[in-house]
Amino acid sequence: MSESHAIPGYAYGNVSQTTPLSLEELDLLKQTVLFSPEDERFLHLAGEVLGDQTEAILDVWYGYVGSHPHLLHYFSLQGQPDGHYLSAVRKRFGQWIIDTCTRPYDTAWLAYQQEIALRHHTTKKNLTDDARAEPIIHLRYILAFIVPLTLTIKDFLAAKGHNAETVAGMHAAWFKAVTLTAVLWSYPYVHTNEF
Amino acid sequence: MSESHAIPGYAYGNVSQTTPLSLEELDLLKQTVLFSPEDERFLHLAGEVLGDQTEAILDVWYGYVGSHPHLLHYFSLQGQPDGHYLSAVRKRFGQWIIDTCTRPYDTAWLAYQQEIALRHHTTKKNLTDDARAEPIIHLRYILAFIVPLTLTIKDFLAAKGHNAETVAGMHAAWFKAVTLTAVLWSYPYVHTNEF
Ligand code: HEM
Ligand code: HEM
């Protein structure tokens, strides 16, 4: 992971967030999204398939954010987008695609989920990149992103010639992983004992 | 909708909840989940396709809840499931499938989403059916349900002989609708101004 360490602000394995869930609770959550060992294998394959396509994927996602003022809003202050912020986050976002497919969902993974959650929340937003932008991303949109992040990945999963069944398997595994992630990221927003 | 009124506790159109979102904010959320007029048409078609299959769908979903103690938990008190509660909710759940496909997403729809949200939250859980059960459903599982409710519907959408493209269209529209719903239901759990 030598490249990863070159990404400013990327701190996987170097954060000591208290995680909202124990590994046992994570396991129950995985059961709830029907996440099986087969999904783990499909995710690893997805990591190989997506590995050299992250820039193209990010073009789609940044195009989507950039064309919706209510989303670009969160990279902006008083209507003025922070260009440095947009490009700094983009590098970490690319790394996240690979991490989501290839990292074991263990304590280090849980800790970095909590770190990213806090970076979307007032607790830590803007700090990593010294950004000039809105102080919080509202939870409704974090959860809503499950849809675009899931639907738009399909073509990229299909781009390397795998058969329809394998693509569908990778796609379902990705959907489960993104939902699991969004669930974990909701934690800082939720009343004590209601998560 | 004469049948609907026969479902105990079903109060669509008869609740006056203050809704967390205005129609303008709902429109932004719909844009975020890529919900278009085409999705609306696909949802209506899904309503026709699913209309006479709701019992079979509920068998699958109740089987899933019943086989996971951490989920059955929420229909139970001190480990004892409340059978009357399970069957009372089941009837409203069947109606919800149809409503999700066929109702306009207007103020009445928003108000009933808020009512159902409160019925999962401590605010109103157990009241409608005078149930003996846990006082709250934790938000993590409500959000996680986006996956099983989306993946398991596919076979039912395909059961009436529509071509693959049409089934995929209905499936994407359903996914967007379920996510939109889960987002709205998170409102009572979230800190003021962070939703
Ligand atoms: C499931 C939903 C989402 C995913 C998977 C996601 C993914 C990511 C990732 C991977 C990062 C970089 C994390 C790191 O620092 O290592 C990030 C940061 C960021 N995302 Fe998201 N994001 C989601 C929702 C949103 C939404 C709805 C917005 C609003 C436009 C948004 C805007 C941002 C911003 C502004 C940052 C920088 C936060 C900071 O100040 O550090 N994200 N996101
Ligand atoms: C997206 C996720 C979910 C959907 C779409 C959903 C759907 C529904 C519907 C349609 C109802 C009846 C609403 C009415 O009263 O008209 C209901 C009630 C209920 N659901 Fe859910 N549900 C979800 C998540 C969950 C989860 C995770 C559990 C936990 C096992 C759960 C357990 C219950 C219970 C116990 C009730 C009765 C609440 C009361 O006391 O009134 N639901 N749900």
Side-chain angles (χ1 to χ4, degrees), chain B residues 2 26 29 37 45 63 76 95 128 137 140 147 165 179 186-187:
Chain B
S2 51
L26 175 62
L29 201 55
L45 181 59
S76 314
Q95 182 61 40
T128 305
I137 297 163
R140 72 184 82 162
V147 174
E165 202 187 330
T179 304
S186 73
Y187 181 77

Side-chain angles (χ1 to χ4, degrees), chain A residues 109-162:
Chain A
W109 181 80
L110 278 174
Y112 202 53
Q113 300 319 302
Q114 176 63 2
E115 172 71 18
I116 305 185
L118 296 174
R119 290 181 183 189
H120 284 80
H121 186 257
T122 31
T123 322
K124 287 205 154 187
K125 189 168 181 292
N126 303 329
L127 286 183
T128 305
D129 306 298
D130 197 16
R132 295 175 52 83
E134 291 296 321
I136 190 170
I137 297 163
H138 291 98
L139 183 65
R140 73 183 82 163
Y141 295 125
I142 296 185
L143 301 175
F145 264 35
I146 293 170
V147 173
L149 296 187
T150 296
L151 292 182
T152 59
I153 208 79
K154 182 89 183 272
D155 289 346
F156 296 101
L157 292 171
K160 297 289 169 79
H162 292 85

Side-chain angles (χ1 to χ4, degrees), chain A residues 21 25 28-29 31-34 64 68 70-71 121-122 136-141 143-148 150-152 172 175-176 179 182-183 186 188-195, chain B residues 21 25 28-29 31-34 64 68 70-71 121-122 136-141 143-148 150-152 172 175-176 179 182-183 186 188-195:
Chain A
L21 294 188
E25 290 170 312
L28 292 177
L29 202 55
Q31 288 180 35
T32 312
V33 298
L34 311 171
Y64 157 79
H68 287 95
H70 72 285
L71 298 175
H121 186 257
T122 31
I136 190 170
I137 297 163
H138 291 98
L139 183 65
R140 73 183 82 163
Y141 295 125
L143 301 175
F145 264 35
I146 293 170
V147 173
T150 296
L151 292 182
T152 59
F175 172 29
K176 294 169 189 182
T179 304
V183 171
S186 73
Y189 296 81
V190 175
H191 299 139
T192 312
N193 297 327
E194 298 191 352
F195 174 73
Chain B
L21 294 187
E25 291 170 312
L28 292 177
L29 201 55
Q31 289 181 33
T32 312
V33 298
L34 311 171
Y64 157 81
H68 286 95
H70 72 284
L71 297 175
H121 186 258
T122 31
I136 190 171
I137 297 163
H138 292 99
L139 183 64
R140 72 184 82 162
Y141 295 126
L143 301 175
F145 264 35
I146 293 170
V147 174
T150 297
L151 292 182
T152 59
F175 173 29
K176 294 169 188 182
T179 304
V183 171
S186 73
Y189 296 81
V190 175
H191 299 139
T192 312
N193 296 326
E194 299 191 352
F195 173 74

Side-chain angles (χ1 to χ4, degrees), chain B residues 26-182:
Chain B
L26 175 62
D27 184 60
L28 292 177
L29 201 55
K30 285 164 82 176
Q31 289 181 33
T32 312
V33 298
L34 311 171
F35 193 90
S36 70
E38 197 190 12
D39 289 302
E40 226 163 279
R41 287 191 296 273
F42 274 125
L43 266 187
H44 273 91
L45 181 59
E48 290 170 27
V49 167
L50 302 177
D52 67 356
Q53 300 188 83
T54 54
E55 285 306 311
I57 297 168
L58 289 165
D59 284 347
V60 171
W61 291 349
Y62 268 64
Y64 157 81
V65 168
S67 64
H68 286 95
H70 72 284
L71 297 175
L72 192 57
H73 175 74
Y74 296 105
F75 287 95
S76 314
L77 197 64
Q78 292 163 348
Q80 186 61 48
D82 180 334
H84 170 262
Y85 189 34
L86 279 158
S87 64
V89 172
R90 185 176 162 120
K91 291 197 192 72
R92 300 199 297 275
F93 213 129
Q95 182 61 40
W96 170 83
I97 297 171
I98 304 308
D99 285 343
T100 300
C101 293
T102 60
R103 296 277 195 181
Y105 291 181
D106 56 11
T107 313
W109 181 79
L110 279 174
Y112 202 54
Q113 300 319 302
Q114 177 63 3
E115 172 70 17
I116 304 184
L118 296 173
R119 291 182 182 188
H120 285 81
H121 186 258
T122 31
T123 322
K124 287 204 154 188
K125 190 168 180 292
N126 303 329
L127 286 183
T128 305
D129 307 298
D130 197 16
R132 296 176 49 84
E134 291 295 321
I136 190 171
I137 297 163
H138 292 99
L139 183 64
R140 72 184 82 162
Y141 295 126
I142 295 185
L143 301 175
F145 264 35
I146 293 170
V147 174
L149 296 188
T150 297
L151 292 182
T152 59
I153 208 79
K154 182 88 183 272
D155 288 346
F156 296 101
L157 292 172
K160 298 288 168 81
H162 292 85
N163 66 34
E165 202 187 330
T166 304
V167 172
M170 289 190 284
H171 197 211
W174 173 262
F175 173 29
K176 294 169 188 182
V178 170
T179 304
L180 203 57
T181 300

